[in-house]
Amino acid sequence: MNVISIEAQNLISGFYSVTKIPATQNTKNSFFTTSSFVQCHGWVPFKTHNCFASLSLKSIKQKIEPKTSVEKSGDTVSDKEGIKTTKKKKLAVFVSGGGSNFKAIHETCVAGSVHGEVVVLVTNKRGCGGAEYARNMGIPVILFPRAKDELDGLSSSDLVAALRRFEVHYILLAGYLKLLPVELIRAYPKSIVNIHPSLLPAFGGKGYYGMKVHKAVIASGARYSGATIHFVDEKYDTGKILAQRIVPVLPNDSAEDLAARVLQEEHKLYVEVTAALCEERIVWREDGVPLIQSKQNPTV
Ligand SMILES: Nc1nc2c(c(=O)[nH]1)N[C@@H](CN(C=O)c1ccc(C(=O)N[C@@H](CCC(=O)O)C(=O)O)cc1)CN2
Ligand SMILES: NCC(=O)N[C@@H]1O[C@H](COP(=O)([O-])[O-])[C@@H](O)[C@H]1O
């Protein structure tokens, strides 16, 4: 029986290899100029366990929507020798805090190991570390949502319009603490992911964010925790899980100790997932579960 091994290098959830996605490089950076439709008042708007599972080739093929290896015409550019390459995917990152996941993603995009470009940062906290970093990097910052007592910030429809204007392909939530509106979720189907600092579905949902998550994990006596990246739906943390990384919870861990251990894995996980998104290596199983195609071991 032919077997394709499902490899999850340092991940729990499934990588598997079917068809490789050729992909490389590059468009020039484009910077956003102020535009009348984005009124932002002075804002520039405008792992650790290898695990293997095996499914029969037949069952995988039946369950996986065939992935064409032909790039969509609009996604490719040709250099002067006529060599076709794929354009970088345009990314919007949403933060509310320090933005260490955002920085890890941005740095790997700039280094070229992730075939993407962060074209805009969205935050609800104008002074947060992530917004500061973005401004220092010349990345446009958008305030969303508009706070009740403030004039700054965009409405949901203006935000969708702004992201369209930036030609955003994927939205990456990285410590963003507000509920995304259904309007945005419907505008970007299967294109919005979030990172959560526990092994969902445990310790997720309303009220579970930041240190609150780690405190709850320790108080529960759980022996393992970790990071989860999932697709975003209309409720907090209930979208389809795409990838996870696991860490041990040690007997004398403080919430801060655990947070630091999980955060290290988050950075690796988010970079791996963003690379897979940008190389179009996400496929959807028949039952609606998303899988990451392994780059190392494509089917022959
Ligand atoms: N539509 C969605 N929006 C968001 C999701 C999601 O899955 N679907 N994920 C969150 C991120 N998140 C966990 O990963 C999360 C963020 C915030 C909360 C929460 O309880 N927030 C508080 C307000 C906190 C504050 O404003 O300081 C609340 O809503 O009362 C839970 C989970 C991002 N958006
Ligand atoms: N429920 C959402 C949530 O708790 N997200 C968490 O916020 C932190 C942001 O850190 P960062 O700003 O340094 O990337 C990360 O640990 C992320 O998992």
Side-chain angles (χ1 to χ4, degrees), residues 213-287:
V213 175
H214 305 296
K215 286 176 179 168
V217 169
I218 288 173
S220 75
R223 295 316 193 261
Y224 290 95
S225 190
T228 300
I229 293 179
H230 63 94
F231 282 91
V232 167
D233 65 15
E234 293 160 20
K235 298 197 288 292
Y236 282 136
D237 305 330
T238 55
K240 292 292 185 186
I241 291 173
L242 176 59
Q244 293 183 307
R245 273 180 173 253
I246 187 170
V247 302
V249 182
L250 303 179
N252 300 316
D253 269 343
S254 67
E256 290 71 20
D257 296 332
L258 180 58
R261 192 175 307 125
V262 171
L263 193 61
Q264 273 189 327
E265 296 305 308
E266 292 185 45
H267 296 162
K268 298 175 207 166
L269 186 65
Y270 227 154
V271 165
E272 285 168 357
V273 167
T274 306
L277 287 166
C278 292
E279 294 163 22
E280 299 182 7
R281 286 190 283 116
I282 309 300
V283 290
W284 293 79
R285 212 168 58 193
E286 202 172 62
D287 60 357

Side-chain angles (χ1 to χ4, degrees), residues 99-287:
S100 69
N101 277 287
F102 162 44
K103 291 175 193 170
I105 291 163
H106 179 248
E107 284 168 357
T108 47
C109 287
V110 171
S113 51
V114 169
H115 198 57
E117 180 188 1
V118 181
V119 296
V120 60
L121 184 96
V122 179
T123 187
N124 63 311
K125 302 269 187 192
R126 65 173 76 242
C128 72
E132 208 54 41
Y133 175 87
R135 285 190 283 267
N136 293 339
M137 292 292 139
I139 298 169
V141 179
I142 290 178
L143 187 64
F144 177 81
R146 179 179 296 137
K148 292 187 187 59
D149 53 346
E150 297 196 359
L151 295 174
D152 277 1
L154 298 188
S155 67
S156 299
S157 51
D158 283 351
L159 177 64
V160 172
L163 297 175
R164 294 286 191 228
R165 177 67 177 259
F166 280 102
E167 299 176 330
V168 167
H169 296 95
Y170 296 109
I171 296 171
L172 313 178
L173 310 186
Y176 187 69
L177 299 184
K178 308 307 279 183
L179 188 71
L180 291 196
V182 65
E183 184 175 354
L184 179 59
I185 292 166
R186 290 184 181 157
Y188 282 89
K190 296 186 177 180
S191 302
I192 309 176
V193 293
N194 174 57
I195 194 161
H196 182 78
S198 76
L199 296 175
L200 291 175
F203 307 105
K206 188 174 174 68
Y208 283 98
Y209 56 93
M211 293 306 289
K212 293 170 185 277
V213 175
H214 305 296
K215 286 176 179 168
V217 169
I218 288 173
S220 75
R223 295 316 193 261
Y224 290 95
S225 190
T228 300
I229 293 179
H230 63 94
F231 282 91
V232 167
D233 65 15
E234 293 160 20
K235 298 197 288 292
Y236 282 136
D237 305 330
T238 55
K240 292 292 185 186
I241 291 173
L242 176 59
Q244 293 183 307
R245 273 180 173 253
I246 187 170
V247 302
V249 182
L250 303 179
N252 300 316
D253 269 343
S254 67
E256 290 71 20
D257 296 332
L258 180 58
R261 192 175 307 125
V262 171
L263 193 61
Q264 273 189 327
E265 296 305 308
E266 292 185 45
H267 296 162
K268 298 175 207 166
L269 186 65
Y270 227 154
V271 165
E272 285 168 357
V273 167
T274 306
L277 287 166
C278 292
E279 294 163 22
E280 299 182 7
R281 286 190 283 116
I282 309 300
V283 290
W284 293 79
R285 212 168 58 193
E286 202 172 62
D287 60 357

